[in-house]
Amino acid sequence: MVTPQEGNSLKELEALQKIVPFAPSATSYGTGWKGLQAVRYRDNSGRELSVAHTLGTHVLTLLVRPPEKMDLRYEGVKRDMPPPAGSIMVAPAGSSVLWRRQGSIDALHVLLEPSVVAGVGAESFELDPTRTVVPPLDGLNAPELRSWMLAVDAELRAGNVGGPLVVESLANVLAVHLIRHTTDAHRLPASADGVLPRRKLRTVIEYIMENLGGSPTLEQMAAVVHLSPYHFARQFKAATGLPPHQYLIARRVERAQHLLRADATLGLAEVALRAGFPDQSHFSFHFKRILGVTPRQFRISARIGSKNASSGKNSDVESVSMLVKQDTYRRDRVAVKKLNQRSMP
């Protein structure tokens, strides 16, 4: 089901991909992102392209590599030549855009929901949500905004390994930086971004643990402790040292460790689902990223550790290290064997 928050940006992304006559190099379409969508286009053909479209969301465009020729018109912006690489253009929702270009191009488009910008404006800047207006911007050189757009691009190219919480957090942070660059508003005093009180921290951790198998959103977590998503994310990180999405992943890895130790008959795909990961690929990626070994290696080492526990032999950590060395040695022997076979007359 498409929620109101993701509806506009999802429709906008679908319309954009229909207008552009070649496939994107990466797209968030079909990933379930909420609050924002993103698409990256790389075209080295040098073809000429003309696009006319009325936007339903705020569109932030980062020109990683500008085309040789460019003609752009929207909401008072008139550009007859390409801007420098790394420039950002902002076309507000409702803009009628006419874009012509010729030559190769590499561009990232981030489609940000107006409701997210209005919400962040009200919560963090005390702006009237009915009057939060994003003006058109052209050739913007904003390093902080650019770095967060590149963070969206990194999540896009990684295949959404961070999950929906990462995207929600990125949407909120992008909204903050966009408001900073488009209005004279100043964020509320830092007292709103203190450490999450212990009682509220305990409440939200209980909520997370009860919903590991589901997909708790940043908005839902924030609602449990009666905070806005933006302030909740900052206070939670100040209290735990981790952003909410990383904390959730760490707890899921912990549950997976328990399952791998407790039941040797469970397949890795089943362990992934029971721990709350969307699939085995995401599970394996985060498990190895956090623990340094694959789930299979951990399971084998856990067996070795349990057998040796009574005799005081190798610990789990030593067993894992030994197993990794054995796997590396085995792979090296296979590689040498293949090389010798190729060199035989």
Side-chain angles (χ1 to χ4, degrees):
M1 183 179 70
V2 177
T3 64
Q5 193 183 53
E6 69 177 316
N8 288 335
S9 59
L10 189 61
K11 291 177 182 176
E12 186 68 38
L13 178 60
E14 187 176 14
L16 180 62
Q17 292 185 189
K18 287 181 179 178
I19 292 171
V20 178
F22 53 90
S25 60
T27 176
S28 64
Y29 189 80
T31 60
W33 283 19
K34 297 179 182 179
L36 67 79
Q37 302 290 335
V39 60
R40 185 158 182 175
Y41 284 103
R42 289 191 183 98
D43 181 24
N44 298 316
S45 66
R47 76 185 93 191
E48 184 174 342
L49 178 64
S50 179
V51 173
H53 183 56
T54 300
L55 304 177
T57 63
H58 305 314
V59 177
L60 290 69
T61 299
L62 172 61
L63 283 175
V64 181
R65 186 180 71 247
E68 297 171 8
K69 297 180 180 180
M70 182 172 167
D71 183 17
L72 182 64
R73 302 285 187 272
Y74 62 91
E75 295 297 302
V77 171
K78 295 181 179 180
R79 170 170 288 280
D80 301 314
M81 60 184 296
S87 297
I88 298 170
M89 297 174 291
V90 178
S95 301
S96 294
V97 178
L98 177 61
W99 184 24
R100 295 188 183 92
R101 62 90 173 165
Q102 185 174 357
S104 60
I105 188 173
D106 186 352
L108 171 69
H109 303 282
V110 176
L111 288 59
L112 189 59
E113 288 285 351
S115 60
V116 173
V117 178
V120 170
E123 294 159 359
S124 300
F125 297 89
E126 289 189 332
L127 299 176
D128 184 345
T130 64
R131 295 187 174 184
T132 304
V133 178
V134 174
L137 295 174
D138 174 43
L140 181 65
N141 180 19
E144 286 190 356
L145 183 59
R146 181 165 54 243
S147 68
W148 285 108
M149 291 182 70
L150 289 173
V152 173
D153 181 58
E155 183 65 15
L156 185 69
R157 290 184 289 106
N160 195 28
V161 294
L165 280 180
V166 173
V167 178
E168 284 187 82
S169 299
L170 288 172
N172 280 279
V173 174
L174 277 176
V176 168
H177 287 285
L178 182 61
I179 291 171
R180 283 177 177 169
H181 284 286
T182 57
T183 71
D184 293 327
H186 297 283
R187 205 161 62 80
L188 295 179
S191 59
D193 291 337
V195 177
L196 193 66
R198 184 174 298 180
R199 179 179 55 81
K200 289 188 173 182
L201 180 62
R202 184 166 55 249
T203 300
V204 76
I205 286 177
E206 287 176 357
Y207 175 81
I208 289 172
M209 297 307 294
E210 290 171 358
N211 293 274
L212 274 185
S215 299
T217 66
L218 188 65
E219 188 174 5
Q220 289 168 341
M221 292 182 191
V224 170
V225 289
H226 310 290
L227 288 171
S228 70
Y230 178 74
H231 289 308
F232 165 71
R234 294 173 69 89
Q235 290 187 21
F236 186 90
K237 184 176 180 180
T240 65
L242 291 172
H245 72 276
Q246 290 289 1
Y247 184 89
L248 179 67
I249 290 171
R251 298 290 77 78
R252 283 173 171 165
V253 168
E254 279 186 2
R255 176 173 286 185
Q257 286 178 269
H258 172 74
L259 292 169
L260 289 169
R261 286 194 186 103
D263 191 346
T265 64
L266 277 181
L268 294 183
E270 181 64 23
V271 171
L273 292 177
R274 292 193 185 187
F277 290 98
D279 53 50
Q280 185 177 335
S281 175
H282 283 75
F283 163 51
S284 298
F285 173 83
H286 288 297
F287 195 96
K288 186 171 183 179
R289 177 178 63 83
I290 292 174
L291 297 180
V293 293
T294 66
R296 185 186 70 84
Q297 290 171 335
F298 179 86
R299 170 172 269 170
I300 295 174
S301 71
R303 292 176 191 165
I304 297 173
S306 63
K307 290 179 181 179
N308 294 334
S310 57
S311 59
K313 293 183 180 180
N314 296 331
S315 65
D316 277 2
V317 174
E318 292 171 335
S319 298
V320 169
S321 177
M322 183 187 303
L323 183 65
V324 171
K325 290 178 180 178
Q326 290 173 349
D327 279 359
T328 302
Y329 176 71
R330 178 182 54 80
R331 287 195 299 270
D332 288 345
R333 289 200 62 183
V334 170
V336 170
K337 184 176 180 180
K338 287 182 179 180
L339 184 62
N340 291 336
Q341 289 175 343
R342 290 174 185 168
S343 61
M344 291 178 63

